[in-house]
Amino acid sequence: KPSVKDMYKFKESFIDKEVEVEGWIKTKRSSKKLGFIELNDGTFFKNLQVIYEENINDFDQIEKLPIYTAIKVIGRVVETPNAKQPFEIRAQEISVLAPSDNDYPIQKKKHSLEYLRTLQHLRPRTNTFNAVFRVRSLMAYAIHKFFQEKGFVYVTTPIITASDAEGAGEMFRVTTLDLNNLPMTENGEIDLKEDFFGKETNLTVSGQLEAEAFALAFKNVYTFGPTFRAENSNTARHAAEFWMIEPEIAFADLLDDMKLAEEMFKYIIKYVLENAKEEMAFFDSFISNGLIDRLTNIINSDFGVVTYTEAIDLLKKANVKFQFPVEWGMDLQTEHERYLTEQEFKKPIFVIDYPKEIKAFYMRVNEDNKTVAAMDLLVPGVGEIIGGSQREERLDVLLEKMRANDMNLDEYWWYIELRKYGGVKHAGFGLGFERAVMYITGMSNIRDVIPFPRTVNSCDF
Ligand code: 4AD
Ligand code: MG
């Protein structure tokens, strides 16, 4: 049995042949004598048109089959050079493999993305989500391909951790203790010795610290896995569970890091444009006009680079009234990021050398002793898509920063030890996978690029 994808791909070898195809009815229409079914077998974004005539086994029954009935069609492939689709099947026999009820909740009329979020089990059957999740899958493949071809070692870092990689305290607690019957110590504190690991543990916010250990063994490594943040941000770009790609490179500085990020990002875009033509054409027409041209431009031009201090000056000079007043030392807000990428530069830009106070403890302190060797990649429409830095490899400076951040040095003993034994300069970054999917598909809400999203107050499936 050929797949619909094979039929499109190797069209010539199917013309005038008899085939047997299994799939679901996406739409249908009929007149007295002729019926049309748009069949989708899941293997390809496009449907297969099936035509049946009066003389079919059971014309009246077939005409009444509800949407998403699973059927088997036996028929002949016929070329249709003047029609929308290159070929169709003239059915000789149609049989039902699995029925579908008449009240299928996604009918032909266009439903809002909000409504479809209430149907996460069915929405992958719609054109939009079918395209999104096929592109998401291709992007994951492209990312592995990119790094593997460069000789990077894929390292899986733990999902349950005992340290806070970002030091931001936005973690989900992991425990086996009974919340209704907590064991207490004599001092009236929860007795963590009774917990599964005998200590406090959390879901990881980033695999970076462990990736650093591996980079100092393999030189070039990357992670690709789920990360979790209990951020109370109810926005279109924040999820509580999202995936991150975190390369870490040794004998490398911030500039090497930025080059790698730019090369990787362009590679992913190029791979998707070449391997998901039907899906990308769909996004271009129905989700974000001009998307393909914009992405093509990105591949063919250099990303911008601006220091944080320059960015602050540009924002101060901007003829825009920002909600958050602009001053050196503040964290860039979405409105500032959008101004920089959409108005000022009109392309992806790296903002580098942020004030050390607003960035994580592990970032390398610059000569000025005020800023760190950090880089964020900002893109039009989405904002921050990558966050990275050169790491502080000098033991004394690292210790000083950790103390200044009130960190418990004992918990990070192994991370500190990496600086004692051949801790060369190294750098890395984290690409937010969902934000990259949003950027490439043009989808504007992170809830619509995750199969089963988890966000503040929402974990329904
Ligand atoms: O900038 P972040 O916090 O950087 C790190 O975690 C570093 N440890 C990465 C590294 O250097 N290895 O996060 C990296 C990226 C962000 O730029 C953003 O794209 C994404 O992860 N991200 C989120 N995506 C969706 N929902 C959230 N709540 C996100 N938080 C961060
Ligand atoms: Mg960041």
Side-chain angles (χ1 to χ4, degrees):
K1 283 173 214 156
S3 68
V4 171
K5 178 164 187 175
D6 283 344
M7 294 178 67
Y8 270 94
K9 212 169 152 195
F10 308 108
K11 189 187 92 180
E12 305 307 328
S13 58
F14 286 100
I15 301 299
D16 293 330
K17 301 265 161 58
E18 185 175 284
V19 293
E20 186 181 318
V21 204
E22 295 171 339
W24 292 278
I25 299 176
K26 293 264 311 207
T27 63
K28 62 184 175 63
R29 66 199 153 88
S30 58
S31 61
K32 271 210 178 71
K33 291 193 166 103
L34 208 56
F36 298 87
I37 292 174
E38 293 285 329
L39 191 77
N40 193 288
D41 78 340
T43 63
F44 196 45
F45 182 65
K46 288 194 165 172
N47 300 319
L48 181 64
Q49 174 151 289
V50 177
I51 295 196
Y52 57 97
E53 290 175 59
E54 250 184 331
N55 61 359
I56 190 97
N57 42 331
D58 205 338
F59 190 90
D60 293 343
Q61 285 293 70
I62 293 166
E63 222 191 341
K64 288 199 203 79
L65 292 176
I67 287 174
Y68 259 88
T69 302
I71 58 171
K72 181 168 92 180
V73 179
I74 297 174
R76 197 164 58 84
V77 181
V78 178
E79 209 165 9
T80 51
N82 301 322
K84 207 171 64 185
Q85 67 287 340
F87 56 86
E88 61 193 24
I89 291 197
R90 302 274 161 83
Q92 280 131 28
E93 198 187 313
I94 295 178
S95 49
V96 172
L97 298 173
S100 177
D101 278 0
N102 261 315
D103 58 358
Y104 186 66
I106 305 177
Q107 293 297 326
K108 208 177 164 184
K109 75 173 185 328
K110 201 165 170 357
H111 294 292
S112 72
L113 295 171
E114 287 80 5
Y115 170 71
L116 292 172
R117 269 176 225 148
T118 67
L119 300 170
Q120 286 165 27
H121 59 312
L122 300 177
R123 68 177 184 169
R125 303 171 176 199
T126 64
N127 285 338
T128 303
F129 289 96
N130 200 281
V132 166
F133 294 124
R134 204 182 296 279
V135 166
R136 184 178 162 116
S137 162
L138 271 177
M139 284 175 63
Y141 179 66
I143 288 164
H144 278 295
K145 193 161 149 32
F146 173 80
F147 285 114
Q148 294 287 336
E149 280 169 1
K150 283 186 158 307
F152 281 55
V153 170
Y154 173 44
V155 46
T156 52
T157 49
I159 288 168
I160 300 175
T161 61
S163 51
D164 181 355
E166 289 301 301
E170 292 168 327
M171 299 193 290
F172 286 100
R173 189 73 176 265
V174 174
T175 180
T176 50
L177 295 178
D178 178 356
L179 292 184
N180 297 315
N181 188 15
L182 289 169
M184 304 304 268
T185 63
E186 280 167 13
N187 306 335
E189 285 166 357
I190 298 168
D191 189 358
L192 287 174
K193 282 198 205 67
E194 299 287 313
D195 206 349
F196 188 91
F197 296 106
K199 53 151 66 169
E200 181 179 334
T201 53
N202 298 283
L203 293 178
T204 187
V205 292
S206 156
Q208 179 196 317
L209 305 191
E210 293 89 350
E212 281 185 56
F214 267 60
L216 293 172
F218 292 94
K219 182 172 153 87
N220 293 331
V221 301
Y222 71 104
T223 75
F224 190 165
T227 46
F228 308 85
R229 295 202 186 171
E231 279 165 294
N232 201 1
S233 321
N234 201 354
T235 77
R237 329 178 292 146
H238 287 88
E241 179 178 312
F242 62 99
W243 284 58
M244 228 201 297
I245 296 93
E246 296 185 272
E248 191 71 30
I249 50 180
F251 306 98
D253 60 17
L254 189 68
L255 207 61
D256 300 314
D257 204 30
M258 288 155 65
K259 274 196 201 132
L260 179 68
E262 182 164 344
E263 193 188 338
M264 175 202 67
F265 201 52
K266 287 178 174 173
Y267 182 97
I268 305 170
I269 295 174
K270 194 154 177 263
Y271 190 86
V272 171
L273 286 175
E274 280 168 9
N275 291 281
K277 294 214 165 71
E278 289 76 17
E279 288 83 353
M280 292 309 287
F282 172 84
F283 292 129
D284 193 290
S285 312
F286 298 105
I287 302 291
S288 176
N289 274 313
L291 179 69
I292 293 178
D293 280 347
R294 286 200 300 280
L295 292 174
T296 309
N297 278 338
I298 302 279
I299 303 176
N300 297 320
S301 58
D302 292 337
F303 293 1
V305 183
V306 63
T307 66
Y308 169 89
T309 304
E310 287 163 356
I312 291 292
D313 285 345
L314 288 170
L315 290 168
K316 276 187 175 155
K317 279 191 215 125
N319 203 4
V320 181
K321 183 127 181 54
F322 295 113
Q323 229 182 316
F324 289 83
V326 179
E327 56 181 331
W328 201 97
M330 68 159 195
D331 215 352
L332 296 184
Q333 306 294 325
T334 306
E335 55 175 344
H336 308 127
E337 296 178 348
R338 294 197 67 156
Y339 173 81
L340 290 170
T341 53
E342 291 164 27
Q343 313 285 325
E344 187 75 42
F345 289 90
K346 298 194 167 64
K347 63 176 181 178
I349 54 162
F350 287 106
V351 179
I352 62 170
D353 297 340
Y354 283 79
K356 66 177 177 188
E357 281 75 23
I358 57 170
K359 287 291 186 184
F361 71 94
Y362 51 71
M363 297 190 182
R364 192 178 198 279
V365 181
N366 286 328
E367 299 277 282
D368 61 13
N369 204 23
K370 282 199 303 227
T371 60
V372 285
M375 61 99 159
D376 277 4
L377 179 64
L378 313 181
V379 296
V382 180
E384 181 193 333
I385 202 161
I386 283 177
S389 65
Q390 185 171 338
R391 318 309 187 188
E392 185 56 76
E393 84 284 14
R394 296 162 297 185
L395 183 59
D396 50 336
V397 186
L398 180 67
L399 290 174
E400 194 186 312
K401 272 196 92 186
M402 291 178 83
R403 286 196 194 99
N405 280 290
D406 282 334
M407 293 171 70
N408 180 350
L409 300 191
D410 292 341
E411 281 172 22
Y412 296 86
W413 68 273
W414 60 271
Y415 186 74
I416 294 166
E417 199 168 289
L418 290 172
R419 274 69 188 162
K420 278 174 61 184
Y421 307 115
V424 283
K425 64 175 179 180
H426 59 288
F429 64 82
L431 167 69
F433 187 47
E434 283 73 18
R435 295 205 185 155
V437 179
M438 287 169 73
Y439 186 65
I440 290 182
T441 59
M443 298 294 288
S444 51
N445 196 306
I446 199 163
R447 293 164 181 81
D448 298 329
V449 299
I450 302 179
F452 298 94
R454 277 90 181 83
T455 52
V456 187
N457 285 324
S458 165
C459 186
D460 298 332
F461 281 74

